[in-house]
Amino acid sequence: MSKSGNMKKPFHVRNIPRWFKYKYLLLTRAKGGPSIVAMGFSIGLAIEMFTLPTAGLAFFLIFPLVYLFRASMAAALLGFVFGKVIYIPMSFINRKVGMLLLPHGIKGKLMHMLPDWLDTFIRFNFYLFVGGVIVGIILGILSYFPIRWLLEWYHNKRKEKRKKRKEQLMLSASETNG
């Protein structure tokens, strides 16, 4: 036993759903409300769209952006993971957008001293990076509003439920007293 008299409960697989529900409740009831959670999710999703061409280094952008926009870190990580799930189909769009935005002169060899395979690899990743930044920003903006509205709806529904429960308790207390 620890000094405080509390024993740490052992890990059980059956407690995993309960842990996820607890984390979900913490996220939906985060300080600052739905906008902070939605902002965090949007940041994580946007950053994931150009993480692959940067060899994972773009992940470190999450920390200053979450701090700058005062967003939820947990929601940002959740958005980042969700971005990983949708990245494969989005990578085709990212590349197409990158090819549309970059000047046509880039279609030739970028660096004449590099072997052809390396030049092709760099060019391909450059298209993914540029397209991923643009698509990521658009996805981040588009995901912010529905998530915020859903969380606000959930928050208002929860507040209404608590208000009704409080009214019922007051009504039943007045009936027992009167």
Side-chain angles (χ1 to χ4, degrees):
M1 275 202 328
S2 66
K3 290 182 182 180
S4 64
N6 296 333
M7 287 183 59
K8 188 171 182 176
K9 294 181 182 178
F11 171 77
H12 292 288
V13 175
R14 68 177 181 265
N15 291 337
I16 292 175
R18 184 176 181 205
W19 181 83
F20 274 112
K21 184 176 181 183
Y22 172 68
K23 292 299 179 183
Y24 167 76
L25 287 173
L26 284 178
L27 195 59
T28 56
R29 297 174 186 176
K31 277 187 179 179
S35 61
I36 287 177
V37 175
M39 181 64 69
F41 185 88
S42 298
I43 289 170
L45 181 61
I47 296 298
E48 173 53 32
M49 288 300 115
F50 61 92
T51 298
L52 184 66
T54 62
L57 294 176
F59 171 77
F60 295 108
L61 274 176
I62 288 177
F63 302 104
L65 288 175
V66 163
Y67 179 77
L68 180 70
F69 289 106
R70 291 173 175 41
S72 165
M73 179 59 76
L77 295 175
L78 196 61
F80 192 76
V81 170
F82 178 74
K84 289 195 176 306
V85 172
I86 66 168
Y87 184 77
I88 297 294
M90 293 305 295
S91 66
F92 296 108
I93 297 170
N94 293 351
R95 184 166 183 259
K96 291 289 184 193
V97 169
M99 290 175 82
L100 286 172
L101 293 175
L102 290 173
H104 296 292
I106 201 165
K107 290 188 179 170
K109 200 164 183 185
L110 282 177
M111 298 186 184
H112 300 292
M113 63 244 165
L114 293 178
D116 286 338
W117 66 270
L118 188 56
D119 184 68
T120 304
F121 178 76
I122 291 171
R123 194 170 350 109
F124 181 80
N125 280 319
F126 197 55
Y127 292 142
L128 274 178
F129 176 76
V130 171
V133 169
I134 301 302
V135 170
I137 290 170
I138 292 169
L139 274 177
I141 291 168
L142 290 177
S143 68
Y144 172 79
F145 294 104
I147 290 171
R148 181 175 163 201
W149 292 329
L150 277 171
L151 289 171
E152 285 173 350
W153 173 79
Y154 174 79
H155 182 71
N156 290 336
K157 185 176 153 187
R158 185 174 165 260
K159 195 186 288 186
E160 234 177 79
K161 199 175 182 182
R162 289 171 56 199
K163 185 178 177 183
K164 283 182 183 177
R165 193 176 328 130
K166 188 175 181 180
E167 287 173 356
Q168 286 176 346
L169 283 172
M170 291 180 80
L171 185 62
S172 65
S174 66
E175 287 175 356
T176 56
N177 290 339

